[in-house]
Amino acid sequence: MKTMNDLPLESIEHIIDQLHDDPEALQACSLTARSWITASQKHLHHCVKFYSGGGRLHDPAAYTSPHVAHRVKKLVLSHTPSPTDPSVTSKNIWAIISRLSNISTLEVTGLSW
């Protein structure tokens, strides 16, 4: 009996690419097989949104790891604290943002500083 492991990796990656708008499916794929992690994380971490206060869509602490941080291509900041804010939260967020080295698109909204 044939299994998913019998499919070429290129075919599996094409299937995963079709799931680019479904974070739950991508997360399930990344947990299914070690060979699926890279293709899944490429889409899971392509666009990261940090919100200060009223509910963040992504946890900044998840991006302290270089192998995840380099996958971020688009960063959306909304109501983030000022980089000169002395609070621990501000320092942590900006330290993490400085590790996102492959950003090609930056969207900033709701600045009050």
Side-chain angles (χ1 to χ4, degrees):
M1 175 174 246
K2 300 262 182 189
T3 66
M4 288 294 286
N5 291 333
D6 296 325
L7 282 174
L9 184 57
E10 294 82 15
S11 297
I12 292 171
E13 288 175 349
H14 183 69
I15 293 167
I16 292 172
D17 287 344
Q18 300 304 309
L19 300 171
H20 64 89
D21 286 335
D22 189 347
E24 291 176 3
L26 289 168
Q27 195 165 24
C29 288
S30 72
L31 297 172
T32 300
R34 184 169 292 195
S35 61
W36 297 17
I37 292 172
T38 301
S40 302
Q41 284 188 350
K42 176 178 79 173
H43 296 292
L44 276 171
H45 304 296
H46 179 268
C47 178
V48 175
K49 301 175 183 178
F50 294 153
Y51 294 94
S52 179
R56 288 181 295 228
L57 293 182
H58 291 87
D59 179 13
Y63 297 92
T64 58
S65 170
H67 77 275
V68 175
H70 86 278
R71 299 190 188 285
V72 178
K73 304 293 184 217
K74 179 179 180 181
L75 177 61
V76 178
L77 301 174
S78 181
H79 303 289
T80 54
S82 167
T84 59
D85 183 347
S87 72
V88 172
T89 303
S90 175
K91 288 179 183 176
N92 289 343
I93 287 176
W94 291 104
I96 291 167
I97 290 171
S98 70
R99 294 182 184 149
L100 306 178
S101 59
N102 288 331
I103 294 174
S104 59
T105 306
L106 174 63
E107 183 179 320
V108 181
T109 61
L111 291 181
S112 59
W113 34 281

